[in-house]
Amino acid sequence: MEAIIEEIKQLVKNKMREQGAYDRDAYKQFVEESIEYYQTKGVLTDDDNLQFIEERLLSIWDEVKNEF
């Protein structure tokens, strides 16, 4: 589970850089978009605990913010 969370985090950080959006609202939006993207690619399914993944990613906002 941590591997996919890390992968999504990297995708979110790339989106933040590309869009020049570094606030919490943008981060949350990119997290949601990235989870949906991984679902469409079949990497994540409804059997995965999507709520846990989203909550975990949102809980590390301070860590991500400090990287920018």
Side-chain angles (χ1 to χ4, degrees), residues 21-36:
Y22 300 104
D23 63 14
R24 185 171 176 79
D25 290 334
Y27 177 74
K28 185 177 188 309
Q29 178 184 342
F30 294 144
V31 165
E32 291 168 357
E33 287 175 6
S34 298
I35 289 172
E36 288 175 19

Side-chain angles (χ1 to χ4, degrees), residues 4-58:
I4 192 67
I5 290 172
E6 183 63 29
E7 195 172 322
I8 294 171
K9 182 178 88 170
Q10 292 305 319
L11 177 61
V12 168
K13 286 169 42 179
N14 289 342
K15 288 181 178 218
M16 291 173 74
R17 278 188 208 98
E18 289 170 3
Q19 300 291 323
Y22 300 104
D23 63 14
R24 185 171 176 79
D25 290 334
Y27 177 74
K28 185 177 188 309
Q29 178 184 342
F30 294 144
V31 165
E32 291 168 357
E33 287 175 6
S34 298
I35 289 172
E36 288 175 19
Y37 170 77
Y38 276 87
Q39 283 181 288
T40 61
K41 294 294 182 188
V43 176
L44 293 174
T45 66
D46 291 338
D47 292 335
D48 293 304
N49 190 343
L50 302 178
Q51 183 177 353
F52 171 79
I53 293 170
E54 182 175 345
E55 288 173 359
R56 175 76 175 98
L57 286 161
L58 294 177

